[in-house]
Amino acid sequence: SLSPTKIAPDMDKEIWDTPEKGPLVIPGTFWVTLYKRIDGQYTLLGEPRSFTVESLELSSLPKVDREETLAFQEKAGKLQRAIKGTEGVINEALMQLEYIHKALLDTPGLDMKLATEASEIEKKLIRFQWELSGDKVKQDMYEPVNLSLSQRIESQLTSTSKITETAKKHYELAARDFEVLREKIKQVIDMELKTFKDKVEAAGAPWTPGRDIPEWKNE
């Protein structure tokens, strides 16, 4: 799976949704190792064992094309991992802002400019989210939307066919746009949001997820 790690099952998935998976390997010899975990300690069970993956010879692709397909899928998979990880960072930041909105309302003598600033940062992050994964509201209403960066690289990630020129072009466009967008997102997350959380702390707002240990001095 290329998505951010989750502890609990994804309750939003329907029972008919296909589980996430990576590209298929090229036939060859592979190794598997088994460990057991007790109280956080990992112990090797037996020796590593080899097994062979064989082709059913149902594909018309020659071996050289299968290798090219896998190489592209691995490259596209790295980009998808970065995009989905960035989506995770944005989702976490939006969650932090949701708590901050409530904390600001609970703060005596609140300067409402802080609430407005929180909303402005939130709007920026939501726009970034649309560029990465699409406007899900419009998609659910079947309105026409531009392809998101994630959608551009998903089509042949698990394909057993030769990678099309269209898929290659989509990857190039997604990689180019993500490189620029990533820097914009880092600016908002690492600079604007961090500075804003310092302002929230200075205002004496209750602690919220994502903020540092509260400032305190013995009086």
Side-chain angles (χ1 to χ4, degrees), residues 31-43:
W31 294 81
V32 62
T33 305
L34 183 64
Y35 287 83
K36 68 177 180 180
R37 185 183 71 174
I38 299 178
D39 294 332
Q41 298 296 318
Y42 289 82
T43 305

Side-chain angles (χ1 to χ4, degrees), residues 23-28 30 53-75 156-163:
L24 300 179
V25 300
I26 295 174
F30 298 84
V53 175
E54 297 181 351
S55 173
L56 296 177
E57 303 300 339
L58 299 178
S59 172
S60 60
L61 282 179
K63 186 173 186 296
V64 64
D65 286 337
R66 290 202 298 268
E67 291 175 347
E68 181 183 349
T69 294
L70 181 58
F72 174 84
Q73 290 171 333
E74 289 176 339
K75 178 176 68 172
Q156 288 197 274
L157 276 178
T158 59
S159 173
T160 57
S161 303
K162 186 178 177 68
I163 302 300

Side-chain angles (χ1 to χ4, degrees), residues 18 24 117 132 164 185:
T18 303
L24 300 179
E117 189 173 346
L132 289 171
T164 65
I185 295 171

Side-chain angles (χ1 to χ4, degrees), residues 14-212:
E14 302 292 350
I15 58 174
W16 53 79
D17 284 345
T18 303
E20 291 191 17
K21 57 184 179 181
L24 300 179
V25 300
I26 295 174
T29 301
F30 298 84
W31 294 81
V32 62
T33 305
L34 183 64
Y35 287 83
K36 68 177 180 180
R37 185 183 71 174
I38 299 178
D39 294 332
Q41 298 296 318
Y42 289 82
T43 305
L44 177 65
L45 296 178
E47 297 297 324
R49 298 293 183 92
S50 65
F51 63 95
T52 302
V53 175
E54 297 181 351
S55 173
L56 296 177
E57 303 300 339
L58 299 178
S59 172
S60 60
L61 282 179
K63 186 173 186 296
V64 64
D65 286 337
R66 290 202 298 268
E67 291 175 347
E68 181 183 349
T69 294
L70 181 58
F72 174 84
Q73 290 171 333
E74 289 176 339
K75 178 176 68 172
K78 290 178 182 178
L79 175 56
Q80 190 189 49
R81 171 186 173 275
I83 289 174
K84 287 183 174 293
T86 305
E87 290 176 18
V89 171
I90 290 175
N91 288 336
E92 185 176 350
L94 288 171
M95 180 273 291
Q96 292 176 13
L97 286 167
E98 185 176 352
Y99 275 92
I100 287 174
H101 275 298
K102 177 63 170 62
L104 290 175
L105 295 177
D106 294 339
T107 305
L110 168 69
D111 182 353
M112 290 306 296
K113 290 181 180 179
L114 285 177
T116 300
E117 189 173 346
S119 295
E120 290 303 314
I121 295 174
E122 191 174 46
K123 289 176 184 176
K124 290 180 182 180
L125 293 175
I126 290 173
R127 285 196 293 268
F128 291 148
Q129 202 173 45
W130 289 347
E131 292 187 62
L132 289 171
S133 57
D135 185 338
K136 290 181 172 54
V137 174
K138 287 187 176 181
Q139 290 171 359
D140 290 344
M141 296 177 67
Y142 298 100
E143 293 187 20
V145 292
N146 294 328
L147 283 177
S148 67
L149 300 187
S150 186
Q151 290 168 330
R152 285 188 180 278
I153 58 175
E154 287 177 348
S155 62
Q156 288 197 274
L157 276 178
T158 59
S159 173
T160 57
S161 303
K162 186 178 177 68
I163 302 300
T164 65
E165 292 302 316
T166 299
K168 292 177 183 178
K169 186 63 176 178
H170 276 313
Y171 171 84
E172 292 173 2
L173 292 173
R176 180 200 65 189
D177 292 347
F178 179 65
E179 190 171 20
V180 175
L181 185 61
R182 181 177 181 274
E183 293 306 312
K184 293 180 181 179
I185 295 171
K186 281 177 63 64
Q187 173 67 27
V188 173
I189 297 289
D190 296 345
M191 300 296 292
E192 290 186 38
L193 182 56
K194 185 179 185 305
T195 300
F196 174 68
K197 287 190 289 188
D198 290 340
K199 293 180 183 178
V200 173
E201 175 61 26
W207 182 88
T208 54
R211 284 165 54 202
D212 295 332

